[in-house]
């Protein structure tokens, strides 16, 4: 079923609002918590909310906004030390690591929510699973691309020597550690709560449509 002009406009307004929130967080301490090498990011929260409320495409667009803030920060010298170093090696692959990975995060999170929301039994859990998967996907895809493209770079070699391992999987775990746990916990708690409340409100007033046909709005949330 095609969307009406009103539905398209409403969708674009909602998407623009979530993108604006993503950009606002990126420009304040709420978005990135700097560490010596990597940055702890809380931008997975608006990405997860967008993926749940607006679907895979909405999640991908917010993921793009998230990735671009990371890439631009590295370009202007205010990003993570790691990304700024990788820019000197290969700007294109750094773009893939910083931006493409985040687009896929939003896309996959939306697909996960959409898939889980359909069966009656998994519907309530879909918010929690999607909200947890978003930061986990962010860590896995970002670090996966990083190891794939830059495993032989000086920064990664230095980290491997520091942690005493040449195993990329073990190195990822050691490098992420507490950072990944913080990102996952924050996104899981905030995104799942916010998205479920907003989903119910928007579903009641017709601002969004449920992925499944339900007679009772309460049953959908």
């Amino acid at each position: 079923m095609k969307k009406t002009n009103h539905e398209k406009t409403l969708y674009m307004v909602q998407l623009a609002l979530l993108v604006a929130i993503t950009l606002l967080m990126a420009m304040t301490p709420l978005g990135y918590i700097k560490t010596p090498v990597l940055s702890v990011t809380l931008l997975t929260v608006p990405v997860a909310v967008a993926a749940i409320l607006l679907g895979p495409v909405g999640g991908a667009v917010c993921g793009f906004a998230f990735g671009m803030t990371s890439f631009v920060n590295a370009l202007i010298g205010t990003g993570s030390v790691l990304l700024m170093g990788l820019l000197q090696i290969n700007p294109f692959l750094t773009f893939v690591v910083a931006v493409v990975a985040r687009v896929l995060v939003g896309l996959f999170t939306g697909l996960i929510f959409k898939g889980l929301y359909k069966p009656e039994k998994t519907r309530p859990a879909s918010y929690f699973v999607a909200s947890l998967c978003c930061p986990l996907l962010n860590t896995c895809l970002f670090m996966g691309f990083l190891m794939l493209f830059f495993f032989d770079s000086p920064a990664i070699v230095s980290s491997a020597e520091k942690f005493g391992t040449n195993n990329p999987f073990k190195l990822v775990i050691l490098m992420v550690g507490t950072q990944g746990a913080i990102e996952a916990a924050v996104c899981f708690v905030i995104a799942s709560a916010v998205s479920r409340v907003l989903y119910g409100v928007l579903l009641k007033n017709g601002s969004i449509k449920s992925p499944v046909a339900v007679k009772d709005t309460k049953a959908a949330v």
Side-chain angles (χ1 to χ4, degrees):
M1 182 182 293
K2 291 185 177 181
K3 291 182 178 180
T4 64
N5 289 334
H6 173 71
E7 289 173 335
K8 290 179 181 178
T9 301
L10 192 57
Y11 180 90
M12 293 303 297
V13 170
Q14 292 166 348
L15 181 57
L17 179 60
L18 284 167
V19 169
I21 290 173
T22 303
L23 297 177
L24 180 63
M25 287 181 65
M27 293 185 289
T28 66
L30 290 174
Y32 293 100
I33 302 173
K34 300 294 178 62
T35 65
V37 179
L38 298 171
S39 295
V40 176
T41 178
L42 304 183
L43 294 180
T44 51
V45 173
V47 173
V49 173
I52 291 171
L53 297 181
L54 304 177
V57 174
V61 172
C62 271
F64 177 78
F66 167 20
M68 282 304 299
T69 64
S70 180
F71 185 71
V72 170
N73 282 341
L75 277 176
I76 62 178
T78 60
S80 71
V81 174
L82 179 61
L83 282 182
M84 288 189 289
L86 297 182
L87 268 175
Q88 308 303 315
I89 300 173
N90 191 315
F92 174 74
L93 290 181
T94 303
F95 179 86
V96 173
V97 172
V99 181
V100 176
R102 272 56 184 270
V103 171
L104 293 176
V105 168
L107 177 67
F108 291 157
T109 300
L111 290 173
I112 289 170
F113 175 78
K114 190 174 181 180
L116 287 174
Y117 189 87
K118 291 179 180 178
E120 192 77 31
K121 292 181 179 179
T122 60
R123 198 169 298 160
S126 59
Y127 302 92
F128 301 105
V129 174
S131 297
L132 182 59
C133 283
C134 188
L136 295 180
L137 283 168
N138 180 57
T139 298
C140 291
L141 289 171
F142 179 87
M143 295 303 294
F145 282 170
L146 183 64
M147 294 299 160
L148 178 64
F149 300 132
F150 294 105
F151 189 70
D152 294 328
S153 67
I156 303 302
V157 171
S158 175
S159 295
E161 292 175 352
K162 175 183 176 181
F163 291 111
T165 180
N166 287 319
N167 186 307
F169 297 103
K170 186 177 180 180
L171 182 58
V172 166
I173 294 173
L174 292 172
M175 287 180 67
V176 175
T178 304
Q179 170 195 332
I182 293 173
E183 291 179 1
V186 172
C187 188
F188 173 73
V189 173
I190 298 178
S192 59
V194 171
S195 61
R196 187 166 187 182
V197 171
L198 286 178
Y199 203 90
V201 172
L202 294 176
L203 198 60
K204 281 183 179 180
N205 63 28
S207 298
I208 60 173
K209 291 186 177 180
S210 171
V212 293
V214 290
K215 296 181 180 179
D216 185 0
T217 303
K218 292 182 179 180
V221 295

